[in-house]
Each structure stands twice: as C-alpha cells, then as structure tokens.
Amino acid sequence: MLHRSLLALGLAAVLVGSPACQRQPAANTASAAATALPAPRAAAPVTARQAMVVSAHPEATRIGLEVLRQGGNAYDAAVAVQFALAVALPVAGNIGGGGFVVYRAADGSVGALDFREKAPLAATRDMYLDAQGNVRAGLSTRGHLAAGVPGTVAGMVALHQKLGKLPWADLVRPAAELAAQGLQLTSKEAAGLNSVRPHMLSVNKHVPTYVHPEGRPWQPGDVIKYPELAAALGRIQQNGRAGFYQGETARLLLAEMQRGGGIISQADLDQYQPAWREPVRGRYRQYDIISMPPPSSGGVALLQMLQMLEPYNLGRLGWHSAAGVHLITEAERRVYADRATYLGDPDFGQVPVAQLLDAKYLKQRMQGVAPTSVATPSAQVTAGTGLPGYESDQTTHYSIVDAQGNAVSCTTTLNGGYGSLVVVQGAGFLLNNEMDDFSVKAGVPNMYGVIGGTANAIGPGKRMLSSMTPTIVTEKGQVCLVVGTPGGSTIITSVLQATLNVLEYGFDPQQAVAAPRLHHQWLPDHIDVEEGALSPAARTELERRGYKLNPRSPWGRIDMIERRHDGTLVGGADPRGDDTAAGY
C-alpha cells in the first residue's frame, strides 16, 4: 500500500537543540499556583536538522518531504501537500475550496497569498432569505447553492509561478497517482465518511466515490480509490490553471451546477484570480508576528489579542490558571465583537486594520480588566467606537520549513466537513460551502455560531470573511514558529493558545498542540472547555467570577514547527487527528 512508515524512510531523527522561542516562565505566584495546571504530558516531538513538514495526513507529509528531498523548496512542497490532501483528507483537503498562505523567505522577505473562494457573479445579498426576510435553513450550508467559486488551483499555480523551483507536473503527479492507486482509510477517515453517507446520497444525483460501492460502511484499512479525481488531477498536472477552470473539468463543474441548481458560471471561473497581499505584522515581547490580512479576520484578531495580553505576565500566573484564563477570555470577547463589525473583504470596502491594531485603542478596550477582576458580560461588550464603518470546523493546515530557511504556513478549507457535500460528477471532487461564511443576514449566527454584520454581507465576486490564521513568528530575524489550525471560529483562539504555550509557558511544540484548549467568541457568552483544560480550583474560581463553562468535545488540528537557536527543527502534530510531522 502507499502508506509507508515515515521512520523507515529516514524522515525523522531524535535530536537535542537549544530553544529558540521558548522562555521558561517565572515561578507562579501563590494565588495563581492554586488554580494553574502543570505542563501537559505529550508524545516526544519530532526533530530534524534540515527540513520539516507537518500536515493533517501521513501521506501528504510523506509527499511534501519527498519533494524537499528531491531539491524542491518549501513552496514546491506546499503545492504537493495541497494536492495530496485533496485526495487523502476529503473532509477538508481540496481542489474545490480555497485558503491562505503566509510565507517568509530565507532572505527575510514576506508575503501572503489569498486564494479564498468568491461569491458567484449571480449571488445576491439576500439570496438565502425567504419573502419575509428570514434565513432559509440549510441553503448556505448544504447543496449546490452553498458553493463559492473555488480558488485552490489558481492559488497553487500563482504560488508556484512566483516562488516555486521544480516543474509543476512533478508536484501534482504524486497526488494523481495516490488517487488512482488508492490508499487505506484510517479509523477517523472511515468514521467521517460513514457519518456523511446519507447526506451525500441526498445531495447528489449520483453515487459518489466517497460512498462504499457495496453499500456497506467503510472500515479502517479499507482501500479507497478515486479514478475520476485522478483524471481531474491529471488535467491540472498537464495544463495547470486551464486544467481546472477551462476544458473538461470546467464543463463537468458547470454541468453539476445546472443539475443541482447552483449558480457558478464559466464567467466566474474565467474571472477568478488569487490576490497577493501584504501580511499583517506586529510584535509580542521580543517576537515579530507575521499573519494573514483581510479577508481573513485571523491575523488582525491574533495581533489584537497578543497586544492586549502583553502587559500581563501570563507565564507567572501559570498555564490555565483562573487569572490567566480570565485575561485571555476578556481579550477574546472584545476582539470577536470587533470582528463582527469591522472585518470583511478589503476589495469591497475599507477595513480599518491600522485603527484596530492601534496601541491606544487596544489599551482602551482592556480598560478595567485586571487579573483579579470579574467577567464582563458579552451583552455589555460592543465593538470599539471611533473607527470608520465598513461594514470548519473542518479546515486543514500545513506548516513547512525547507533546508534553505524558507517557511510556509498554509490553511485551506471546504468550510464545513466535506463542504457542501456536492461531488462534481465525472471529476470526483467536493465543492465548498463557503457561502455560509458571509453574513447571510446581519446579526444571525452562521454554522459556527459567529455573528456577522454588514461588512461581510454577500456581494457578487466578493470574498467571504474567514477565521483562518496561518502565522509565522520570528525572533532576531530568524523564523522560530510556523503555526496554524482548522477549527472554524475557534481557529484564532487555538493559534493564540498554541503560540502562548510556547512563548509564555515554555512548552515544546508537541505539548503546545496537544494541550487541552479553551475558547470564547463573544457570543454565545460562555467558555468552551475541552476535557482536562481546567483544574477543579480554576473551574470554581471562574464560575465565582461569573463565567459560564461549556464542556465541549475536542476541536482543531494544530500543526506547528519550531526552529531552535542551533537550527534544529521541532515539529508538533495534533493528536486530535491523523496529523503527522516528519523531517530530515
């Protein structure tokens, strides 16, 4: 089978390196120590000397690392990993979706590539509302009308044309071969496909490859092949952008739209272009933070929260102490309120990024918040004033550092698990349901419970707002962290916590990504709590302060690489999924 032992390939070696972006926290105060938790136990991180790939599937990691071994750079590996995930991780990997890349080159230059999907040209602001102005349930989340114009293939072509090194065909070929030859399903993949089987059959007028041909449930170890997807990847391999947006694949996509009442047209495919953007940048203590700008809300929100929290000694308060959780939660609720009001597609209006990141503004937003203060009810928190008015869970992420020091952080998605559940007949790929990431109606939550405003209203050719937060952290001119995650509205807070776990609490990358998580997004007004995330004493103290704690099953799949001072690369792959780190 195509699954091969990563260790057998010599992709990882156990090394000892000096920390780069870790700083050991000061001893806890007596009051914080009563509620703080010790550093969580986790498997040993993967370490390597020259290059590393961390992705959501072992096959994608293997393919990406083989590209690096063959002389490709981090951007080549990103292209290969992206297409491999479209085969190996159908819940989120894609050619029918979109995403964002943040990179830092070995020479210190940085960039951001926006290959987010767009609303079709036939889209209208109220397309998901009935005659009374109420949201029609399900239209923006399932079926053909939920799909935005895919951006992944155009994005990978643009990345390769600007920064790639190896021939395009060599980068797509491994994914096409993987689709044709098949691969074994993991237990998580089998369970995921079985859970959506009835919905796929109801949405599609054909039986997709993702449904077992014998009609039985998939079992772990079953081999699944994707002949139609292999053919579609072959056309992309041979013809690049034209292999998807024109010719046979485009014909099949438009036929699928007609069959299911979708509105994506050939004009949409012809006009789609990814956009190169300037990353948002900021500082946290001695570290430089490089992240994704709008139409992602992630980078702005992450920088806001880090600046809000910098005045407090979180390390001294202790990991997940009641005081530390209180401070982080108060920053989160204020930032998510701003997100709902001010963030949207910068090509369609003014997004006040500079004002949102202004130090005086952020200090004012945290006025009255102290380690000993009580919860601020979200009903009393609104977006900041004085700014110009603009009005997946199943995503996936991969982090790559090559031997030359180039770093790529890429988050890509179909939005919900398996996107719209629509499989393009004859081409074998899933379409996204990204239209739900618009504000279908101002003030009405989307599938992740996130409230949106008019800044993110539907418009023809407009990119929908995202929470994706691909991020690179540097120190003294050297990359020290590459990080990102899926998780819908929890992406931003997960990246925040994983970053703080290293920078403030001294965790290694595997501890940082495995640690139980917390999440608050302004509305609904509660803290989501993973099992093991809080001590009993912290729970009691937070409830005393007025917080509502909401137990929740695990979320997110963080993939992180740390570069230490001696050049050692240390990978953390989230155990919540089939994520795999490997290097050489």
Side-chain angles (χ1 to χ4, degrees), residues 35-98:
T35 62
L37 286 168
R41 294 182 179 180
V46 172
T47 58
R49 285 292 186 194
Q50 296 189 57
M52 182 166 285
V53 178
V54 190
S55 85
H57 196 280
E59 285 292 348
T61 295
R62 175 184 66 80
I63 286 170
L65 208 61
E66 286 183 355
V67 166
L68 294 178
R69 281 186 175 278
Q70 292 162 9
N73 59 25
Y75 317 110
D76 293 323
V79 172
V81 169
Q82 176 71 49
F83 287 114
L85 287 170
V87 180
L89 192 76
V91 68
N94 68 84
I95 59 173

Side-chain angles (χ1 to χ4, degrees), residues 12 24 38 50 74 79 84 114 117-118 167 190-191 236 241 247 322 339 388 411 416 457 469 478 501 509 547 551 557:
Q24 295 301 322
Q50 296 189 57
V79 172
D114 171 3
E117 303 90 332
K118 288 186 174 184
I236 295 168
R241 177 191 169 101
R339 178 192 188 277
T411 312
T469 316
Q478 295 293 322
N501 285 347
Y547 290 101
R557 308 282 190 275

Side-chain angles (χ1 to χ4, degrees), residues 83-387:
F83 287 114
L85 287 170
V87 180
L89 192 76
V91 68
N94 68 84
I95 59 173
F100 301 115
V101 164
V102 170
Y103 76 86
R104 185 185 187 275
D107 63 6
S109 60
V110 300
L113 177 60
D114 171 3
F115 57 100
R116 183 71 161 150
E117 303 90 332
K118 288 186 174 184
L121 295 171
T124 61
R125 179 176 177 133
D126 298 331
M127 62 187 286
Y128 299 115
L129 307 183
D130 62 20
Q132 288 72 45
N134 299 314
V135 176
R136 299 170 62 190
L139 274 189
S140 66
T141 57
R142 185 177 297 176
H144 299 67
L145 203 59
V149 182
T152 292
V153 175
M156 292 301 101
V157 169
L159 181 65
H160 179 258
Q161 287 179 342
K162 181 173 181 177
L163 298 167
K165 180 179 177 183
L166 297 183
W168 170 261
D170 292 351
L171 305 178
V172 185
R173 181 180 296 109
E177 292 175 348
L178 186 64
Q181 297 174 27
L183 71 164
Q184 288 182 331
L185 291 174
T186 68
S187 58
K188 289 184 175 67
E189 292 159 357
L193 288 173
N194 291 336
S195 70
V196 297
R197 179 182 184 275
H199 307 299
M200 277 196 177
L201 291 174
S202 68
V203 166
N204 294 282
K205 297 183 179 180
H206 64 286
V207 179
T209 312
Y210 302 100
V211 174
H212 197 286
E214 298 174 6
R216 66 168 175 84
W218 292 103
Q219 300 294 328
D222 280 348
V223 176
I224 185 168
K225 297 182 179 182
Y226 302 101
E228 292 178 346
L229 178 57
L233 288 168
R235 291 188 286 271
I236 295 168
Q237 177 189 349
Q238 195 168 36
N239 300 311
R241 177 191 169 101
F244 183 85
Y245 294 91
Q246 298 172 10
E248 179 66 3
T249 300
R251 184 189 69 78
L252 292 168
L253 173 54
L254 298 180
E256 187 62 51
M257 286 290 104
Q258 187 173 21
R259 190 160 42 244
I263 57 174
I264 295 174
S265 67
Q266 185 61 55
D268 289 307
L269 300 179
D270 291 340
Q271 293 182 26
Y272 181 87
Q273 292 293 336
W276 289 99
R277 302 191 187 277
E278 283 296 316
V280 290
R281 306 186 69 167
R283 284 188 63 83
Y284 179 76
R285 308 198 190 286
Q286 71 266 36
Y287 307 104
D288 291 301
I289 315 296
I290 307 161
S291 196
M292 193 68 206
S296 175
S297 63
V300 172
L302 177 67
L303 291 179
Q304 282 186 295
M305 290 188 291
L306 286 171
Q307 290 183 60
M308 286 176 169
L309 293 169
E310 186 172 14
Y312 308 99
N313 193 332
L314 296 176
R316 186 170 177 81
L317 292 173
W319 183 67
H320 285 194
S321 67
V325 171
H326 160 68
L327 293 171
I328 292 170
T329 300
E330 292 305 313
E332 289 173 349
R333 82 164 85 236
R334 287 159 174 77
V335 167
Y336 275 78
D338 280 353
R339 178 192 188 277
T341 301
Y342 294 116
L343 290 168
D345 186 346
D347 295 336
F348 279 73
Q350 183 180 4
V351 180
V353 172
Q355 293 94 325
L356 288 168
L357 296 178
D358 180 75
K360 291 182 179 179
Y361 170 77
L362 295 173
K363 183 178 180 179
Q364 180 273 327
R365 293 291 278 153
M366 289 292 278
Q367 189 172 1
V369 177
T372 56
S373 59
V374 298
T376 308
S378 287
Q380 298 178 17
V381 174
T382 59
T385 58
L387 278 67

Side-chain angles (χ1 to χ4, degrees), residues 437-529:
D437 267 358
F438 283 116
S439 298
V440 173
K441 181 180 180 181
V444 175
N446 69 2
M447 66 188 296
Y448 297 111
V450 175
I451 302 296
T454 55
N456 190 38
I458 300 169
K462 187 177 180 182
R463 288 179 165 93
M464 57 290 292
L465 189 63
S466 170
S467 295
M468 290 185 278
T469 316
T471 298
I472 296 172
V473 179
T474 67
E475 182 185 15
K476 297 179 180 178
Q478 295 293 322
V479 169
C480 69
L481 281 183
V482 183
V483 62
T485 186
S489 61
T490 68
I491 289 174
I492 305 166
T493 58
S494 295
V495 171
L496 172 72
Q497 289 170 84
T499 302
L500 292 175
N501 285 347
V502 175
L503 303 187
E504 285 288 350
Y505 305 116
F507 293 4
D508 69 44
Q510 192 58 48
Q511 286 178 305
V513 304
R517 295 196 266 273
L518 304 164
H519 171 71
H520 195 290
Q521 62 181 42
W522 180 47
L523 295 173
D525 190 359
H526 61 239
I527 301 175
D528 287 323
V529 182

